[in-house]
């Protein structure tokens, strides 16, 4: 397998991808929720709902949501009636917005927003029943290391669900997505978030990320069992799942 090209938000030689991703999300945190739903036309909510429903047969009590941002995936997971959800992210700016959201909605008794690194998780082996990641794994500096850490902290018989952007292959979604990601996302992202690089990074990082069979191969290599993938919205995103 050829080495995946490293795409960073700002392209600075002296900073790691991890540092740049944290900086980028700190920069856009105040406008992130609005932009996220606006630029995806709200269908990101449907994708998260589908991903969470895949965990329903497991009846998980402890859930870790990585790259949690402001906690939308964690909030969706409340429908599973867990006793504990941890939303973890490397951006303190995003987490602060998330903490305010949880307190305002009264979810802070179940959901804890915590600063942390997906590639070095501060939990013992098998602590969680299930784990979710929404649009985060393509931001990992070391994908295999991050995926291995995710597997480590989930108990045997537990499940990991990953929601990530992909590249649609069929007309007309392919043509629409190409236009939307090349022109619409950078145009509005730059003007609303005031960070031009952040929303140029999105399509670049999606283009460089292994998807479909390539991603499933990596998951199996790391040790995931029963690996599956499901395209949503014509292939704009993919839901990957694997068991431990």
């Amino acid at each position: 397998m050829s080495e995946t090209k490293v795409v960073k938000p700002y392209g600075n030689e002296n900073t790691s991808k991890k540092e740049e991703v944290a900086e980028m999300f700190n920069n856009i945190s105040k406008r992130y929720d609005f932009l996220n739903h606006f630029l995806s036309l709200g269908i990101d909510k449907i994708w998260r709902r589908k991903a969470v429903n895949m965990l329903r047969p497991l009846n998980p009590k402890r859930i870790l949501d990585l790259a949690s941002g402001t906690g939308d995936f964690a909030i969706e997971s409340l429908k599973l009636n867990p006793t504990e959800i941890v939303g973890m992210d490397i951006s303190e700016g995003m987490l602060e917005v998330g903490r305010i959201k949880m307190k305002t909605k009264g979810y802070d008794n179940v959901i804890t927003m915590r600063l942390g690194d997906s590639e070095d998780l501060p939990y013992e082996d098998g602590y969680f029943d299930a784990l979710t990641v929404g649009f985060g794994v393509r931001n990992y500096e070391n994908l295999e290391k991050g995926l291995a850490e995710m597997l480590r902290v989930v108990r045997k018989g537990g499940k990991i669900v990953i929601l990530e952007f992909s590249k649609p292959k069929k007309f007309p979604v392919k043509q629409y997505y190409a236009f939307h990601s090349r022109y619409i996302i950078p145009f509005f992202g730059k003007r609303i978030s005031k960070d031009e690089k952040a929303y140029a990074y999105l399509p670049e990082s999606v283009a460089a990320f292994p998807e479909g069979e390539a991603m499933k191969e990596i998951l199996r290599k790391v040790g995931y069992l029963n690996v599956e993938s499901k395209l949503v919205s014509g292939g704009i995103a993919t839901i990957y799942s694997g068991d431990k």
Side-chain angles (χ1 to χ4, degrees):
M1 189 188 298
S2 60
E3 191 171 331
T4 304
K5 177 189 173 189
V6 177
V7 176
K8 301 192 294 183
Y10 304 110
N12 297 326
E13 287 184 15
N14 301 323
T15 51
S16 67
K17 178 173 180 175
K18 198 175 294 183
E19 289 170 324
E20 291 199 16
V21 167
E23 179 187 352
M24 177 187 75
F25 282 115
N26 284 337
N27 289 344
I28 65 175
S29 58
K30 297 293 187 291
R31 297 298 187 105
Y32 178 80
D33 277 349
F34 170 76
L35 268 169
N36 198 27
H37 302 318
F38 172 70
L39 294 173
S40 70
L41 308 177
I43 54 177
D44 59 306
K45 297 176 183 177
I46 298 170
W47 300 340
R48 274 188 283 270
R49 194 176 308 137
K50 287 184 176 182
V52 165
N53 280 338
M54 293 170 70
L55 296 173
R56 200 170 287 280
L58 194 67
N59 192 28
K61 293 304 170 192
R62 287 175 171 171
I63 301 172
L64 176 61
D65 179 42
L66 285 179
S68 191
T70 64
D72 281 347
F73 220 145
I75 290 171
E76 188 63 38
S77 295
L78 285 169
K79 292 176 180 175
L80 301 172
N81 297 315
T83 54
E84 178 186 6
I85 301 176
V86 177
M88 183 169 284
D89 202 279
I90 60 170
S91 165
E92 185 58 49
M94 295 287 275
L95 289 167
E96 197 49 49
V97 174
R99 289 184 191 112
I100 294 168
K101 187 192 293 188
M102 299 311 160
K103 191 154 192 174
T104 302
K105 293 178 179 289
Y107 298 151
D108 55 329
N109 59 326
V110 178
I111 300 174
T112 303
M113 304 299 286
R114 181 173 181 182
L115 189 69
D117 182 353
S118 300
E119 295 170 32
D120 186 18
L121 297 172
Y123 292 99
E124 63 193 46
D125 296 3
Y127 182 81
F128 294 97
D129 301 306
L131 189 153
T132 58
V133 192
F135 314 113
V137 291
R138 75 178 189 285
N139 297 325
Y140 287 4
E141 191 156 47
N142 185 323
L143 178 60
E144 289 189 16
K145 185 179 179 184
L147 294 173
E149 266 293 270
M150 288 159 52
L151 194 62
R152 180 185 68 77
V153 299
V154 171
R155 67 167 171 81
K156 190 171 182 179
K159 196 174 194 71
I160 295 99
V161 178
I162 299 166
L163 175 59
E164 191 52 85
F165 286 115
S166 46
K167 301 177 279 292
K169 307 294 189 291
K170 294 181 179 178
F171 177 87
V173 181
K174 177 181 178 180
Q175 286 72 16
Y176 167 76
Y177 179 75
F179 177 81
H180 190 76
S181 62
R182 179 172 289 186
Y183 299 107
I184 303 296
I185 291 175
F187 179 84
F188 285 103
K190 174 184 176 180
R191 280 154 182 79
I192 297 173
S193 74
K194 309 301 183 191
D195 189 326
E196 181 178 2
K197 299 282 189 181
Y199 286 89
Y201 165 76
L202 172 61
E204 289 172 10
S205 63
V206 172
F209 188 75
E211 63 176 292
E213 286 304 319
M215 177 61 171
K216 287 163 74 174
E217 184 182 324
I218 295 169
L219 288 167
R220 292 189 192 101
K221 176 185 174 185
V222 171
Y224 287 67
L225 305 174
N226 306 317
V227 174
E228 295 180 355
S229 65
K230 178 185 178 70
L231 296 175
V232 289
S233 299
I236 294 176
T238 302
I239 303 172
Y240 302 94
S241 63
D243 302 335
K244 182 172 179 180

